[in-house]
């Protein structure tokens, strides 16, 4: 029983910390804590003495057999032990809820939060490098001193800095003086909940930032200097693309990461290689410990060398949650070795979880921490049993495949819950990448170190390091667009069912039992049926189908024809949802992708689509002065080798059985209130007599030009221009007289889309109106030439 009690306690701490957001206010904090302490005391008092056989660590199979025996025919001592253990787990759960309550109340009742909306001057330390999102920068800041009009105080609180000017010339660990206004977002909204779960007490709208100097704590200052020197050496020794990759791998610095490379790694399931993760701790620690052994250091000096290396690496990389998890595990394992009492990996992971959540309950909400724990737990529980069942493979390949499969089984429910997708190619990608990861990291570090001494030596070693690095890039690029299905889903049910299935699979694998013959036979019998049904669902429709995807305040429309032609028009305002939805629909390639105009709500999601799917051609207006989103789209098309066209009014493209007639623009607009909107590609898509008019955000000047040129034909379906805003002409709607008009707009958007005026003009033509802000995804099919709203999810 002792072998599983610590994992059970860790699970109780985890679930109790999570449950606090649901049940924490049901009782006073003191009631949770006292109840937990009383329960823990009773558990200790009622537990019978352990027998000698329970004082050591048992092998997995022996443990599983004993658990089955104890449950099937428990003795009196077994029953007492089970009762005490269950009581102890419940007690720890209560303590975790109470401790998470304490943490939340400390955040909500923080001194800085009570000062809002006061103007303040803060002194403290940057916890992370400033990041830039559109026109604002942000960073997490640990405050140590506050000054305001009414006085001053010393605190230990964390705030979110946000400003509109250029970000401060500072890095994590630097001491800053910040002036700005304190605000406390509503804990019920998305951003307020995000801050609360990270333990951030307030937001500060920054007016001015002054860098006071590097970190005050000497080890952090040394790490800052080392990071700066190594970073410069990496940039000087490697090409920019590989330098960005290595900076992420070694220093946790993603500021130079190539966007196209990042998309390829994410689409292939290798995104964990882009930043420092727990595995990096092992890769750095292993050669250091090997050096200690080669120098014949005794146990204590080797321990000090190892613990110092781990601590320095954690500080160097910014104490990312996954690195902290790995660092604490490495530290506990080293302590066990130096004391002559090594513990199992499961016990070490459990102790690390309990310790870290006791120090910072907010870690339980960190996606990085969740994935790190899930991957590690999966490998501990299943890597060896899976490898043993892969006897047909060479031993090194079996071990790599076992570790990859085990980690993927562990993280998949969490990935589906948060990101709603998992590429099925990720196992192959990770197995192929496995042999190159450590050489890329270690040779890269060696090249950076050599570059500090002699730049020529650094470049020479960098040339060697480029071999595994470019191999990784090739694996990511090829598998990003592999014709493999994606697993999609999401929600709490997916998470619970997925984790339960992973636990059941781990238990079965560790028992060493074979799959029952009946299950094998049933699986072989059902596989062809499942493949056949999947092929039918993924095949082309009988009639033209037009999907207006629910992307919030933006546009994304997918057309699929009876001949299997797939056309995507616009990609929505977020980087990945459209690509995720296309994967869920079974799309394997796109014949045409259209970026109607270079506004964020239409093109931000397209680079991920280009990275994930083979694309025949990209259509865009090609008008001057593109914004950053258009630049990123063009860079993505160039990186993927996709042909780009800038069609003009009068051109016709025949794509399979779909005819695309370009109605606008005839030339780029200048001098209007919204030139980019009026530059929108306006396309009449047709299959036979079935017609769909796609208008982008064309406003009144563009619509007037279409009317004057006689290019506003009767259509079956209209994508309403500019999200139904008050920028259209009643005469345009009267001219096209659609049977169905679809408005793509976000719920509770601040622009008032769609406008009552535009909706009134459409209704006056007898048009049926469907809206994504009300119905979600709108699907229009043509049945015998008649457009029908087939579903609105």
């Amino acid at each position: 029983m002792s072998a599983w009690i610590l994992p059970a306690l860790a699970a109780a701490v985890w679930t109790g910390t999570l449950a606090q957001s649901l049940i924490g206010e049901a009782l006073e904090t003191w009631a949770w804590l006292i109840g937990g302490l009383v329960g823990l005391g009773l558990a200790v008092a009622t537990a019978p003495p352990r027998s000698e056989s329970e004082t050591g660590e048992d092998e997995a199979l022996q443990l599983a057999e004993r658990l089955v025996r104890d449950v099937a025919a428990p003795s009196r001592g077994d029953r007492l032990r089970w009762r005490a253990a269950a009581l102890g787990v419940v007690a720890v759960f209560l303590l975790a809820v109470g401790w998470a309550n304490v943490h939340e109340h400390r955040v909500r009742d923080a001194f800085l939060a009570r000062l809002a909306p006061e103007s303040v001057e803060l002194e403290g330390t940057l916890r992370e490098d400033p990041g830039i999102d559109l026109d604002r920068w942000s960073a997490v800041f640990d405050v140590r001193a506050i000054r305001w009009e009414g006085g001053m105080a010393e605190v230990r609180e964390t705030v979110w800095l946000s400003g509109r000017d250029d970000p401060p010339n500072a890095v994590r660990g630097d001491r800053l003086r910040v002036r700005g206004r304190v605000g406390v977002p509503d804990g019920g909204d998305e951003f307020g909940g995000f801050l609360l779960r990270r333990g951030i007490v307030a937001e500060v709208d920054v007016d001015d930032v002054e860098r006071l100097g590097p970190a005050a704590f000497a080890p952090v200052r040394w790490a800052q200097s080392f990071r700066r020197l190594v970073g410069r050496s990496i940039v000087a020794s490697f090409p920019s693309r590989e330098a960005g990759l290595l900076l992420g791998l070694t220093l946790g610095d993603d500021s130079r990461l190539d966007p196209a490379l990042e998309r390829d790694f994410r689409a292939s399931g290798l995104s964990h290689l882009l930043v420092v993760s727990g595995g990096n701790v092992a890769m750095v620690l292993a050669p250091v410990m090997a050096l200690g052994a080669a120098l014949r250091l005794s146990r204590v000096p080797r321990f000090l060398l190892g613990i110092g290396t781990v601590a320095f690496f954690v500080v160097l990389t910014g104490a990312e949650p996954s690195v902290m998890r790995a660092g604490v595990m490495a530290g506990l394992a080293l302590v066990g070795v130096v004391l002559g009492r090594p513990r199992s990996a499961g016990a070490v992971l459990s102790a690390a979880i309990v310790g870290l959540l006791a120090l910072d309950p907010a870690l339980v909400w960190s996606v990085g921490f969740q994935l790190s724990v899930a991957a590690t737990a999966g490998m501990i529980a299943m890597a060896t049993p899976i490898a043993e069942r892969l006897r047909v493979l060479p031993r090194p390949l079996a071990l790599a495949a076992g570790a990859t499969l085990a980690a993927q089984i562990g993280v998949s429910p969490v990935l589906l819950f948060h990101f709603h997708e998992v590429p099925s190619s990720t196992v192959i990608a990770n197995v192929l990448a496995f042999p190159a990861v450590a050489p890329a990291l270690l040779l890269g570090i060696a090249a950076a170190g050599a570059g500090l001494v002699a730049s020529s030596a650094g470049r020479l070693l960098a040339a060697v390091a480029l071999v595994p690095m470019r191999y990784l890039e090739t694996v990511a690029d090829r598998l990003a667009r592999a014709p493999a299905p994606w697993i999609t889903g999401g929600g709490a049910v997916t998470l619970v069912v997925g984790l339960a299935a992973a636990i059941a699979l781990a238990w079965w694998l560790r028992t060493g039992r074979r799959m029952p013959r009946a299950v094998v036979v049933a699986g072989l019998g059902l596989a062809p049926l499942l493949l056949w049904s999947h092929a039918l669902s993924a095949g082309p429709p009988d009639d033209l189908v037009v999907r207006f995807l629910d992307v919030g305040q933006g546009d994304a429309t997918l057309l699929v024809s009876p001949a299997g032609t797939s056309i995507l028009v616009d990609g929505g305002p977020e980087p990945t949802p459209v690509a995720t939805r296309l994967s869920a629909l079974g799309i394997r390639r796109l014949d045409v992708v259209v970026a109607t105009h270079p506004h964020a709500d239409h093109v931000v999601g397209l680079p991920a689509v280009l990275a994930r799917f083979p694309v025949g051609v990209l259509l865009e207006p090609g008008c001057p002065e593109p914004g950053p989103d258009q630049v990123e789209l063009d860079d993505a098309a160039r990186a993927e080798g996709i042909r780009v066209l800038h069609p003009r009014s009068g051109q016709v493209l025949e794509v399979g059985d779909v005819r695309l007639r370009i109605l606008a623009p005839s030339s780029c607009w200048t001098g209007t209130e919204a030139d980019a909107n009026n530059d929108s590609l306006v396309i009449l898509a047709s299959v036979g007599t079935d017609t769909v008019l796609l208008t982008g955000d064309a406003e009144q000047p563009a619509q007037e030009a279409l009317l004057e040129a006689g290019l506003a034909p009767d259509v079956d379906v209209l994508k309403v221009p500019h999200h139904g805003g008050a920028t259209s002409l009643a005469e345009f709607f009267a001219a096209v007289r659609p049977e169905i008009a679809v408005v793509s707009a976000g719920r509770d958007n601040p622009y008032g889309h769609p406008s009552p005026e535009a909706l009134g003009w459409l209704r006056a033509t007898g048009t049926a109106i469907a809206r994504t802000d009300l119905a979600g995804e709108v699907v229009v099919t043509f049945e015998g030439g008649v457009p029908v709203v087939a579903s609105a999810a």
Side-chain angles (χ1 to χ4, degrees):
M1 183 175 291
S2 61
W4 63 265
I5 190 63
L6 192 54
L9 295 178
V13 172
W14 188 288
T15 54
T17 306
L18 284 175
Q20 181 273 335
S21 62
L22 299 175
I23 63 174
E25 299 303 320
L27 297 173
E28 295 291 335
T29 299
W30 60 264
W32 290 110
L33 294 175
I34 291 177
L37 290 172
V38 170
L40 200 58
L42 289 174
V44 173
T46 59
R50 291 185 302 173
S51 63
E52 286 296 318
S53 63
E54 292 181 306
T55 59
E57 295 288 346
D58 290 328
E59 294 296 329
L61 183 57
Q62 293 173 331
L63 171 63
E65 288 175 347
R66 194 173 68 249
L67 289 177
V68 172
R69 181 201 67 202
D70 290 349
V71 171
S75 65
R76 183 174 183 278
D78 292 332
R79 287 196 297 271
L80 291 176
R81 278 188 287 273
W82 278 105
R83 190 178 304 162
L87 185 56
V89 169
V90 172
V92 169
F93 175 86
L94 299 178
L95 285 172
V97 175
W99 186 241
N101 257 356
V102 171
H103 171 77
E104 181 174 314
H105 291 160
R106 182 188 68 80
V107 174
R108 290 186 183 278
D109 301 333
F111 186 81
L112 259 171
R114 296 199 300 272
L115 283 179
E118 189 84 36
S119 292
V120 296
E121 179 182 280
L122 310 175
E123 289 187 14
T125 304
L126 267 182
R127 181 181 292 186
E128 60 184 34
D129 296 340
I132 301 176
D133 184 14
L134 298 178
D135 61 340
R136 296 191 70 88
W137 65 269
S138 61
V140 178
F141 187 61
D142 292 324
V143 181
R144 295 297 176 260
I146 313 171
R147 294 182 181 85
W148 70 101
E149 188 175 350
M152 61 180 296
E154 292 187 358
V155 297
R156 297 184 66 85
E157 297 176 352
T158 303
V159 299
W160 181 269
L161 303 182
S162 178
R164 288 194 178 276
D165 297 328
D166 292 334
N169 185 21
V171 297
R172 59 173 179 256
D174 282 351
R175 292 177 293 116
L176 304 181
R177 180 179 290 123
V178 178
R179 298 175 184 87
R181 183 175 295 274
V182 180
V184 181
D186 182 2
D189 65 27
E190 185 176 353
F191 183 62
F194 165 77
L195 295 186
L196 179 63
R197 289 176 176 179
R198 288 196 63 179
I200 297 174
V201 304
E203 178 185 16
V204 176
D205 192 4
V206 177
D207 297 323
D208 179 61
V209 179
E210 177 186 355
R211 183 178 182 273
L212 301 178
F217 187 47
V220 176
R221 192 164 61 249
W222 300 336
Q224 282 184 303
S225 299
F226 184 81
R227 183 173 183 251
R228 184 169 56 253
L229 288 172
V230 171
R232 288 175 182 170
S233 181
I234 289 173
V235 172
S237 302
F238 287 86
S240 60
R241 185 179 173 93
E242 285 72 28
L245 176 59
L246 190 57
L247 285 170
L249 273 170
T250 57
L251 303 176
D253 179 2
D254 61 358
S255 60
R256 292 176 177 264
L257 190 61
D258 181 79
L261 187 66
E262 181 179 10
R263 287 189 292 269
D264 284 343
F265 272 68
R266 292 193 184 284
S268 59
L270 296 174
S271 59
H272 58 94
L273 300 180
L274 295 173
V275 294
V276 175
S277 64
N280 298 66
V281 175
M283 282 186 277
V284 170
L285 183 60
V288 171
M289 298 306 291
L291 175 63
L295 294 175
R296 299 182 180 234
L297 297 178
S298 62
R299 183 183 295 178
V300 173
R302 281 206 310 270
F303 165 76
L304 294 176
L305 177 64
I307 207 75
T309 299
V310 170
F312 185 76
F313 189 74
V314 169
V315 173
L316 178 70
T317 56
E320 290 292 325
S322 61
V323 177
M324 282 197 297
R325 188 273 311 157
V328 172
M329 283 188 68
L332 291 173
L334 289 170
V335 169
V337 170
V338 79
L339 295 178
R341 299 189 63 185
R343 295 295 179 182
S344 69
V348 172
L349 173 63
S350 303
I353 292 171
V354 172
L356 286 169
L357 292 185
L359 289 173
D360 183 8
L363 275 175
V364 79
W365 299 104
S366 166
V367 177
F369 188 69
Q370 293 172 6
L371 291 171
S372 179
V373 169
T376 306
M379 287 189 287
I380 291 171
M382 290 179 277
T384 300
I386 291 175
E388 289 174 350
R389 290 167 186 256
L390 298 175
R391 299 186 186 94
V392 295
L393 299 177
R395 183 62 176 170
L397 187 58
L399 290 173
T404 300
L405 279 168
Q408 194 62 48
I409 292 168
V411 301
S412 289
V414 183
L415 288 171
L416 288 171
F417 177 75
H418 288 291
F419 306 112
H420 314 303
E421 60 180 5
V422 176
S424 62
S425 61
T426 186
V427 173
I428 297 174
N430 277 279
V431 170
L432 292 175
F434 177 78
V437 176
L441 175 64
L442 297 177
L443 286 171
I445 293 173
L452 295 175
V453 179
S455 58
S456 57
R459 286 192 292 271
L460 180 61
L461 274 175
V464 180
L466 285 176
V467 175
M469 293 177 73
R470 286 185 172 159
Y471 168 77
L472 290 173
E473 293 171 10
T474 301
V475 169
D477 179 62
R478 295 294 183 269
L479 290 178
R481 289 185 288 174
W486 284 61
I487 304 167
T488 57
V493 173
T494 298
L495 178 65
V496 173
V497 173
L499 290 176
I503 292 170
L505 179 61
W507 177 84
W508 175 72
L509 286 169
R510 293 182 72 101
T511 63
R513 296 175 181 173
R514 292 182 177 274
M515 185 75 71
R517 182 172 297 179
V519 175
V520 175
V521 172
L524 292 174
L526 289 174
L529 179 62
L530 293 174
L531 292 173
W532 179 65
S533 62
H534 177 75
L536 286 179
S537 63
D542 295 330
D543 301 285
L544 176 63
V545 174
V546 187
R547 292 180 180 271
F548 298 87
L549 306 183
D550 181 15
V551 294
Q553 185 62 20
D555 270 7
T557 306
L558 175 68
L559 294 85
V560 181
S561 76
T565 301
S566 298
I567 299 171
L568 177 68
V569 181
D570 290 330
E574 299 294 335
T576 60
V578 169
T580 300
R581 183 60 181 144
L582 295 179
S583 297
L585 291 170
I587 299 297
R588 294 289 177 266
R589 64 165 282 116
L590 292 164
D591 298 283
V592 180
V593 170
V594 180
T596 58
H597 64 293
H599 279 172
D601 56 334
H602 292 252
V603 302
V604 166
L606 290 180
V609 170
L610 301 188
R612 188 178 300 183
F613 301 94
V615 173
V617 65
L618 171 65
L619 307 183
E620 56 183 40
C623 291
E625 299 183 11
D629 297 309
Q630 181 66 48
V631 171
E632 184 175 358
L633 176 59
D634 291 340
D635 288 344
R638 193 177 306 112
E640 303 300 337
I642 296 171
R643 185 185 179 198
V644 180
L645 299 178
H646 309 301
R648 289 292 176 261
S649 177
Q651 290 184 246
V652 176
L653 286 78
E654 302 283 349
V655 187
D657 57 340
V658 180
R659 189 171 189 263
L660 300 178
R661 181 184 174 196
I662 310 301
L663 305 184
S666 57
S667 61
C668 296
W669 288 82
T670 58
T672 67
E673 292 184 3
D675 289 342
N677 283 348
N678 289 313
D679 287 335
S680 292
L681 287 173
V682 178
I683 300 175
L684 180 65
S686 60
V687 175
T689 59
D690 302 334
T691 55
V692 181
L693 184 58
L694 303 156
T695 58
D697 279 357
E699 297 188 0
Q700 291 179 4
Q703 294 174 25
E704 286 176 353
L706 288 170
L707 291 169
E708 291 172 1
L711 296 176
D714 288 358
V715 295
D716 296 312
V717 179
L718 169 70
K719 201 291 296 183
V720 179
H722 202 191
H723 320 291
T727 53
S728 289
L729 295 170
E731 295 82 359
F732 178 74
F733 293 143
V736 299
R737 291 186 302 174
E739 294 189 41
I740 297 174
V742 180
V743 179
S744 182
R747 299 167 184 81
D748 302 319
N749 67 81
Y751 311 101
H753 293 163
S755 72
E757 189 177 34
L759 294 177
W761 291 336
L762 284 166
R763 291 191 183 101
T765 66
T767 299
I769 300 172
R771 296 167 49 176
T772 62
D773 60 329
L774 299 180
E777 182 174 301
V778 174
V779 183
V780 178
T781 63
F782 286 81
E783 300 176 3
V786 178
V788 176
V789 178
S791 65

